[in-house]
Amino acid sequence: MRRFFVIANWKMQVEAEEARELARETVRLWAAQGAANPAVTVAVCPPFASLDEVREEISGTPVSMGGQDCFWESRGAYTGEVSVMSLKDAGCRFCLVGHSERREYLGETDGMVRKKVRALLDTGLIPVVCIGETREERESGRRDAVVIGQLKAILEGNRPIGSQEVIVAYEPRWVIGTGQAVSPEDAASMHQLIYDTLEGMFPSDTVERQFSVIYGGSADAENIGGFLRMPVIDGCLVGKAALSAKGFVRMAEAAADIAKG
Ligand code: PGA
């Protein structure tokens, strides 16, 4: 049976009580189905300041939680940063790293993302590594070179060991938040290239058991089926459409239907 990840990125769109409500509603709608569909992992990534509220709503339910970022050092004089251990203590199982908004507004680089991935793996969290090209890079024919360059800079030599897992999120930056996703075929061609590149970096059984590649960028309840029917697309990272619990859970339900075959 196929296994899918449907992960919500709430960005900075909710404050604590709104996050609590959204989590509560997501849990209410997914609880019974999630328990019956272990092939679909549903997770929400709230802002740091709402992690406690969300943890209270999701604990003991089939909804998991992730951070939106982390720092690579475990402790020290790093004002404003959040360690992986404190995310783990707060109840996180996942953490986004290298999101395009952090690359664009905060100067996050592949080198930083690489260190964050290591810190997450070493602490037992699953990194969701975001990579993707800008419109200009796409239009100048550099999509593959840019995305594969990011993948290699972040993951080469950064091998997941034991039962460590890595999720790669391919997000064409120019469609994020636009309501206009790329086609499933377009995404699938990139996912295939990502898988081929991973096969060149790690043993095949490592890639098969420890890596997943999900799509992000205006994914919603209408288009998710097209993406997940592609054998190389293992789930979706969802921004805007996840701010409606109903819409988001419909996406998880679509994943459950496809997983059943
Ligand atoms: P979007 O955001 O679904 O609103 O395009 C996705 C993301 O930024 O991860």
Side-chain angles (χ1 to χ4, degrees):
M1 198 199 285
R2 293 184 66 193
R3 197 168 74 113
F4 291 117
F5 294 94
V6 182
I7 302 179
N9 173 11
W10 291 348
K11 309 191 179 186
M12 203 179 72
Q13 303 281 22
V14 286
E15 285 162 21
E17 283 312 308
E18 298 166 297
R20 180 194 291 285
E21 270 310 305
L22 189 52
R24 183 177 294 164
E25 194 57 9
T26 303
V27 166
R28 187 180 73 77
L29 295 170
W30 179 243
Q33 308 207 46
N37 287 291
V40 182
T41 300
V42 170
V44 297
C45 302
F48 288 139
S50 310
L51 289 171
D52 273 352
E53 283 79 0
V54 173
R55 192 236 284 256
E56 283 172 21
E57 299 301 323
I58 62 154
S59 62
T61 79
V63 176
S64 302
M65 187 165 76
Q68 294 181 8
D69 183 39
C70 63
F71 195 59
W72 55 82
E73 295 291 346
S74 54
R75 182 178 285 253
Y78 304 106
T79 302
E81 292 300 327
V82 175
S83 73
V84 176
M85 191 47 90
S86 57
L87 290 178
K88 190 175 186 180
D89 285 347
C92 291
R93 190 176 154 208
F94 298 91
C95 185
L96 310 182
V97 281
H99 191 278
S100 67
E101 287 146 16
R102 298 197 57 82
R103 292 174 187 264
E104 181 174 354
Y105 304 123
L106 293 146
E108 184 138 330
T109 63
D110 291 332
M112 296 179 193
V113 180
R114 180 182 176 84
K115 290 194 273 186
K116 292 178 183 194
V117 168
R118 195 68 257 159
L120 287 162
L121 290 175
D122 290 345
T123 314
L125 269 75
I126 300 176
V128 180
V129 182
C130 303
I131 54 178
E133 80 288 358
T134 63
R135 180 188 293 279
E136 192 265 317
E137 287 162 344
R138 154 101 36 161
E139 284 174 355
S140 59
R142 287 182 293 139
R143 177 192 81 158
D144 297 0
V146 166
V147 175
I148 295 309
Q150 292 169 342
L151 185 73
K152 286 188 170 166
I154 296 166
L155 290 176
E156 211 151 38
N158 223 356
R159 181 179 172 174
I161 46 175
S163 58
Q164 294 171 346
E165 274 188 70
V166 175
I167 299 175
V168 175
Y170 169 57
E171 299 201 293
R173 287 167 65 161
W174 51 285
V175 300
I176 290 177
T178 61
Q180 200 62 63
V182 298
S183 70
E185 293 74 16
D186 185 312
S189 70
M190 193 66 237
H191 283 228
Q192 185 63 56
L193 193 53
I194 290 170
Y195 266 118
D196 291 346
T197 307
L198 290 170
E199 294 271 347
M201 292 197 284
F202 304 110
S204 281
D205 61 324
T206 302
V207 176
E208 195 177 318
R209 282 187 290 108
Q210 289 162 265
F211 282 90
S212 303
V213 185
I214 67 176
Y215 169 79
S218 297
D220 60 27
E222 307 307 319
N223 63 25
I224 191 169
F227 288 111
L228 300 190
R229 273 189 283 275
M230 297 286 164
V232 286
I233 302 185
D234 306 316
C236 281
L237 179 58
V238 191
K240 207 181 258 174
L243 296 174
S244 148
K246 214 167 157 189
F248 179 62
V249 171
R250 268 178 63 207
M251 297 178 80
E253 288 165 358
D257 285 345
I258 294 171
K260 277 186 220 138

